[in-house]
Amino acid sequence: MDTATTQAELRRRVDAWRQGGETVGFVPTMGALHEGHLALVRRCRELADRTVVSVFVNPTQFNEASDLERYPRTPERDAELLAGEGTDLLFLPPVDEIYPPGDATRVEVAGPAEGLEGAHRPGHFRGVATVVARLFHLVRPHLSVFGEKDAQQLAVVRRMTADLHIPVDVVGHPTVREEDGLAMSSRNALLSPGDRAAAPVLHRALVAARDRVAAGERSADALRRTMAEVLAAEPRVHAVEYAEVVDGESFQPLDRLPESGRVVLPIAVRVGGEGAGDGSATGNVTAMVRLIDNFQLDMSDFDETPSAAVGTRGADVP
């Protein structure tokens, strides 16, 4: 595996592949790689002749300075993992390679970027859209693979790519989970042992809502209440930012589930902190870890009878 740190190095390698008629796939990451990221790399290698992976902790998508500072960074381990997966090129740029001196341009996406993460993390999707657009223009891939755990982000990237006529096929890959259902995330490394044991409550809340859909429930408010009740039963969950039911394309809240189409159940919570759940009067707020998850339901897999089969995409787990 080769490593490029500058645009010139990156372009020299990618240009040679493209001129040779090879297709280029791209997986953008912020590092601290885990099995979920590696699954994206494997899928990319299946779809393209050459695979480029970027590791870049993007400062413009963090709306809390402490969150950026605490974000895990493991560049040497990341490089070893990517080499083991047969990655052709690691793009490891410094910040000023992506945001050069005098940088003054940002990409704003409306539509699916509004609400949920967009409301709770002001400026987040502006940073995401900006860095992905820049990386797409630098790498010039034929396709790019993103995880479906960040379902709203995937919708935003697809909207931006279509609106700006960027010739990249954006491919989604199902969420990869631990054995207890917790969605794999770089932030999981920040969880204390007790908080890690509590974190699968997100998955249990989603399963409970999905099971109600399989039993015939079509009221979005009923599903919101189901998820909220499961989350409220876990004392280490200190803040539920949202537990929603939204349209799979627009990410706007639903009143009632449709007969067909895609519905997303997204959750965002803050878990733990020193002293959480152990009888302490207060917890260490700075040690809380923000986790997100979702299930995506293909409503054509469900009918309105209690015997309805659970949709395969809705399950999102083995």
Side-chain angles (χ1 to χ4, degrees):
M1 181 184 74
D2 293 328
T3 298
T5 60
T6 68
Q7 299 178 32
E9 294 170 332
L10 172 69
R11 287 171 176 163
R12 183 167 60 251
R13 288 166 172 81
V14 173
D15 284 349
W17 294 333
R18 293 181 68 103
Q19 290 168 9
E22 294 181 290
T23 56
V24 178
F26 176 47
V27 180
T29 83
M30 293 208 300
L33 303 183
H34 50 69
E35 180 60 27
H37 294 111
L38 301 183
L40 305 184
V41 175
R42 294 180 198 121
R43 181 58 177 156
C44 192
R45 292 190 66 220
E46 292 173 354
L47 297 173
D49 298 317
R50 297 287 185 171
T51 295
V52 179
V53 178
S54 64
V55 172
F56 178 69
V57 180
N58 176 37
T60 66
Q61 70 187 68
F62 289 84
N63 59 313
E64 297 178 9
S66 61
D67 197 18
L68 173 61
E69 182 179 349
R70 293 178 61 220
Y71 197 86
R73 294 165 172 82
T74 58
E76 293 182 359
R77 179 177 177 275
D78 293 344
E80 291 177 1
L81 290 172
L82 292 172
E85 292 296 336
T87 303
D88 293 290
L89 180 64
L90 166 61
F91 184 39
L92 193 64
V95 172
D96 61 4
E97 196 72 16
I98 303 299
Y99 298 101
D103 162 64
T105 302
R106 295 293 180 267
V107 178
E108 292 276 3
V109 180
E114 299 171 344
L116 302 177
E117 293 295 285
H120 287 273
R121 302 179 68 187
H124 172 68
F125 284 130
R126 180 174 63 245
V128 169
T130 298
V131 76
V132 172
R134 294 183 186 208
L135 289 170
F136 278 179
H137 283 297
L138 290 172
V139 178
R140 294 180 298 117
H142 296 86
L143 63 93
S144 187
V145 184
F146 288 78
E148 292 180 352
K149 179 180 74 71
D150 300 296
Q152 189 178 12
Q153 172 179 281
L154 177 56
V156 169
V157 170
R158 282 177 167 153
R159 182 72 270 159
M160 176 205 70
T161 303
D163 291 349
L164 297 183
H165 305 287
I166 302 175
V168 177
D169 181 16
V170 178
V171 179
H173 190 282
T175 303
V176 179
R177 300 182 179 277
E178 304 285 358
E179 291 185 4
D180 58 9
L182 179 64
M184 290 189 177
S185 169
S186 300
R187 295 177 187 272
N188 293 350
L190 302 175
L191 294 167
S192 70
D195 296 340
R196 172 60 184 83
V201 69
L202 282 79
H203 181 251
R204 295 198 299 274
L206 292 168
V207 169
R210 181 201 62 198
D211 288 350
R212 291 205 64 182
V213 176
E217 182 61 73
R218 294 297 179 268
S219 166
D221 278 344
L223 301 181
R224 293 181 182 104
R225 286 194 298 271
T226 295
M227 291 187 285
E229 289 168 0
V230 175
L231 294 169
E234 172 49 63
R236 285 181 181 263
V237 171
H238 293 288
V240 178
E241 295 187 356
Y242 56 79
E244 259 296 351
V245 183
V246 300
D247 177 81
E249 299 301 323
S250 68
F251 272 73
Q252 295 304 302
L254 295 171
D255 294 325
R256 186 169 180 81
L257 275 62
E259 294 183 2
S260 61
R262 187 165 59 94
V263 171
V264 179
L265 311 179
I267 289 178
V269 305
R270 292 183 184 265
V271 177
E274 184 179 348
D278 64 1
S280 300
T282 61
N284 181 355
V285 175
T286 62
M288 289 185 186
V289 178
R290 188 176 188 273
L291 300 177
I292 65 171
D293 201 352
N294 73 85
F295 271 5
Q296 301 186 36
L297 310 182
D298 184 342
M299 294 307 298
S300 64
D301 290 339
F302 298 86
D303 61 37
E304 296 197 27
T305 66
S307 60
V310 172
T312 54
R313 281 185 59 81
D316 207 16
V317 289

